[in-house]
Amino acid sequence: LDAKEKHLFIGFYQQDSNIQIQKKLELQNRLKNAIKNNEFVLYYQPKLSLSDFCVRSVEALLRWNSKDGIVLPNEFIPILEETRLIIELGYQIFEQAIDQIKAWQKIGFTISVAINLSAVQLDDANFLEKTFTLINRSNVDRNLIEIEVTESTLIKHLDRLTKLNEYGLKIFLDDFGTGYSSLSYLKEVPISGIKIDIAFIREMFEKKNFEILKTIINLSKALNLKVIAEGVETKAQANALKSLNCDEVQGFLIARPALAKDIEHLFRGPFLIGK
Ligand code: C2E
Ligand code: MG
Ligand code: MG
Ligand code: MG
């Protein structure tokens, strides 16, 4: 490349990234307004117990109800994390989830709600104090709040998560099987269970994966951990997971994430899978 070409190339690249930066700033502003206008809503996806086919717990999954339609987390969580807006929104998510637990209790359903936490939320120096305050104020039964974190977040924030667990919240290791997942540390962390990642479940019938899955489930059970399979889409998967002693399944086979009122009928159970 001679100097001129090089310059042209860089110029083009800079122009391209300027447009990207511009777009990103626009989105950041829209997200800020969306938080202010309460455009974020929680959808809920049930987890089905394979011992009695009842639903006792759901996962809260964030949706942006924008004027152009429902937007999924992958589109906005990274930006909310980068701008740290997720911290502020995170406390609102806690409040929404707690209100839902109480609303369900009022109509006779005792249902746990799992809240996803990213590392950025736990980075907040006031995280514990703020979270304890809002939970105390709400008078909710702490046993009914679950937390989902990935392996890297668990390791990074072991101290804070241990305190959260001592306070009474159950912690689950999310996306198990995608990270480093050294099995030996499972005995040393304050978790109640693991959620096996969808990518792993998708390929569970490949011979080696099936053997690994069996081992993961047996080891987890031996350590007294609950095992939940994510992304279960077929009866064959659910039935095989039951025969492997997996505790709970979650996925489109049972229900897609939906508004609270649209999944309540599943609480009346049992939900039979069939062959
Ligand atoms: P996750 O916690 O691992 O959630 C599982 C994802 O798999 C969800 O995607 C869910 O809709 C999707 N899913 C569930 N069952 C099936 C299935 O049978 N098939 C397929 N193909 N997908 C299934 P979603 O809702 O788009 O959320 C993506 C990620 O965004 C979550 O992964 C979580 O890490 C993050 N997230 C969601 N809500 C929140 C939140 O309130 N706060 C934070 N910090 N992160 C959140
Ligand atoms: Mg999760
Ligand atoms: Mg997951
Ligand atoms: Mg995930």
Side-chain angles (χ1 to χ4, degrees), residues 39-141:
E39 289 174 24
F40 285 96
V41 292
L42 289 177
Y43 275 35
Y44 297 91
Q45 187 181 35
K47 298 178 236 171
L48 185 75
S49 162
L50 289 172
S51 56
D52 62 3
F53 301 102
C54 288
V55 173
R56 276 181 218 88
S57 160
V58 299
E59 178 177 8
L61 292 161
L62 193 60
R63 299 292 182 260
W64 176 15
N65 195 357
S66 85
K67 67 177 192 328
D68 305 319
I70 299 285
V71 188
L72 294 173
N74 291 350
E75 307 271 344
F76 58 80
I77 296 258
I79 298 165
L80 291 177
E81 288 176 344
E82 211 176 300
T83 54
R84 297 168 64 84
L85 286 167
I86 189 75
I87 295 176
E88 179 191 340
L89 180 60
Y91 298 118
Q92 295 177 21
I93 290 169
F94 255 103
E95 283 170 340
Q96 267 194 46
I98 288 169
D99 285 347
Q100 190 58 63
I101 292 174
K102 288 165 47 180
W104 276 328
Q105 248 171 344
K106 224 180 211 166
I107 55 171
F109 299 124
T110 301
I111 300 291
S112 299
V113 173
I115 298 167
N116 290 282
L117 283 185
S118 59
V120 178
Q121 294 176 261
L122 284 148
D123 287 340
D124 179 13
N126 301 317
F127 174 80
L128 285 177
E129 191 205 306
K130 282 199 174 165
T131 304
F132 292 164
T133 303
L134 75 87
I135 293 174
N136 287 341
R137 194 174 53 209
S138 75
N139 244 331
V140 72
D141 182 351

Side-chain angles (χ1 to χ4, degrees), residues 9 32 78 103 117 143 146 169 186 220 248 266 272:
F9 177 72
K32 248 183 234 164
L117 283 185
N143 287 319
E146 299 175 348
L169 311 200
L186 285 179
S220 303
E248 294 180 3
L266 293 168
L272 296 174

